[in-house]
Each structure stands twice: as C-alpha cells, then as structure tokens.
Amino acid sequence: MRRVGCWAVSLLLLSAAATVQAELYRYIDNRGVTVLDSRVPPEFVSNGYEVLDSQGRVLRVIPAAPTREEREAARRALADQERQRAADATLLRLYSNTRDLDRAQSRHVAQIDNLIASARSSILVLAQQRERLELRAAAQQRAGREVDPSLLNEIAESNEETARLERLIAQKEAEIIEVNERFAEQRERLTALLGD
C-alpha cells in the first residue's frame, strides 16, 4: 500500500514538472525580434507576451501594459462618462418630458427677445435725443456761435450708447442661436433617455 502511495506522488510530481516545463513564452525583445523562451525577462513583461503549450498553441495572451497616453485617455473617458451621467440626471430632474423642455426653451428665447426689443426701443429714443441735440448744435452754428462742448459731449455719448446697444443686440441674437442649439441637443438626449 505504501508503494502505491509513493508511486502516485511520484507520478503527480512528474506530471506537474512536465506541465511546468511544457509552457513556453513568446515575446518581442527590444530589437523587435520574436523570442520563444522558458521565461520572460522582467524588462519585457510590460510589453505583453503569450503563454504557449509544448505544441506551440497559445494558452493565454498577456496584454501589454497601457502607455501613459492610454491611461490618460481612459481617465478622460471615465471623467466624460461621469459628466454625462451627471448631465443626464440633471436633465431628467428638470424635464419630465420633451414638452416641458420645449416650454423652457420658449421662455428662455422670449426673455432674450425682450432684451433685444428693449435695446431697440432705447436706440430709437437715443436717435430722437441725438436728433434734437444735433438741431441745437446746428442752430448754434447758424447763429455764428461756437457749438457748446457739453452739447458735443452729449452727442458723442449718445453715439457711444447706441453703438453699445447695437453690440448687445448682436450678442443676444447670437445667444438665441446658441440657446436653440443647446436645447436641440438636450431634446435629442432627453428623447433618448425617455425612450420616446
């Protein structure tokens, strides 16, 4: 009985040794040459390698360690996913359906339109004031007097304010385009999230 036990242990050790010896490693060295060896030197482990059996069949593929750029790209992708999840949660909290989003868009655009209308109205008032100021300046010139410097200042200020309001109108018109684009993107995302 004792002999049979020794035999079994010996067979088990021999088969384990044969299995360990049967594994080969295929890797690429620093010259770009494919090497087949019983071990992978530590300096090449991070490049990845393959584990082969005694017949040359691939048992496992150990991938190369990611490069710094790949790790950075993965980190950015993870951060982008997290931002998207947070944006989706906010979108779903703000709007229960696309009609709510459309109403919010209409309100937002109406507010900007009101600012534009107010600026245009102010430009008309400024134009009337400027016209009165210019008539007074012309009357002073016709009378042979020098135009009052404060009058010229008021005309210049009126022109500057008109120019500022025109820039504001242009900015607000561009803002309407941006708002509509942003709401279109949100509408598309909300539709996808809600499965509409």
Side-chain angles (χ1 to χ4, degrees):
M1 182 74 176
R2 194 161 191 221
R3 253 183 140 176
V4 171
C6 285
W7 243 111
V9 169
S10 297
L11 275 175
L12 188 61
L13 287 174
L14 282 173
S15 66
T19 303
V20 169
Q21 278 188 336
E23 283 190 349
L24 293 172
Y25 300 92
R26 181 167 48 199
Y27 63 93
I28 297 175
D29 68 9
N30 56 3
R31 295 172 301 188
V33 176
T34 301
V35 178
L36 199 59
D37 202 347
S38 61
R39 68 178 190 83
V40 180
E43 64 267 22
F44 301 121
V45 169
S46 63
N47 297 338
Y49 56 92
E50 295 174 332
V51 180
L52 309 174
D53 66 9
S54 59
Q55 275 73 45
R57 292 184 296 250
V58 176
L59 298 174
R60 291 185 308 279
V61 175
I62 309 302
T67 64
R68 181 182 307 175
E69 292 81 15
E70 291 169 335
R71 287 192 305 270
E72 184 61 28
R75 188 194 62 74
R76 281 193 306 271
L78 195 58
D80 289 345
Q81 289 173 355
E82 188 54 40
R83 274 193 295 277
Q84 186 62 57
R85 272 195 293 275
D88 289 348
T90 299
L91 195 61
L92 290 169
R93 190 176 65 247
L94 290 174
Y95 311 111
S96 59
N97 55 50
T98 54
R99 289 183 309 282
D100 289 347
L101 186 133
D102 293 340
R103 282 191 292 271
Q105 178 181 5
S106 295
R107 280 192 306 271
H108 197 129
V109 170
Q111 288 173 344
I112 299 170
D113 278 336
N114 287 340
L115 288 172
I116 291 171
S118 175
R120 285 191 173 130
S121 175
S122 295
I123 287 173
L124 290 175
V125 170
L126 285 168
Q128 292 169 351
Q129 287 175 350
R130 188 172 50 250
E131 188 177 328
R132 284 193 299 273
L133 292 169
E134 287 171 348
L135 286 172
R136 283 175 48 200
Q140 287 177 1
Q141 280 183 328
R142 279 193 304 273
R145 293 180 301 186
E146 192 173 314
V147 177
D148 185 6
S150 65
L151 195 58
L152 293 173
N153 262 356
E154 286 183 60
I155 293 170
E157 287 172 2
S158 175
N159 288 337
E160 288 173 11
E161 182 62 12
T162 299
R164 186 191 72 77
L165 289 170
E166 287 171 347
R167 285 192 304 273
L168 177 68
I169 289 170
Q171 289 169 353
K172 292 302 174 185
E173 287 172 341
E175 188 178 335
I176 287 176
I177 293 169
E178 291 171 11
V179 164
N180 286 333
E181 288 172 354
R182 189 172 68 242
F183 271 99
E185 290 170 4
Q186 288 179 338
R187 189 178 210 289
E188 186 177 328
R189 185 65 183 163
L190 184 62
T191 300
L193 291 171
L194 295 174
D196 291 349

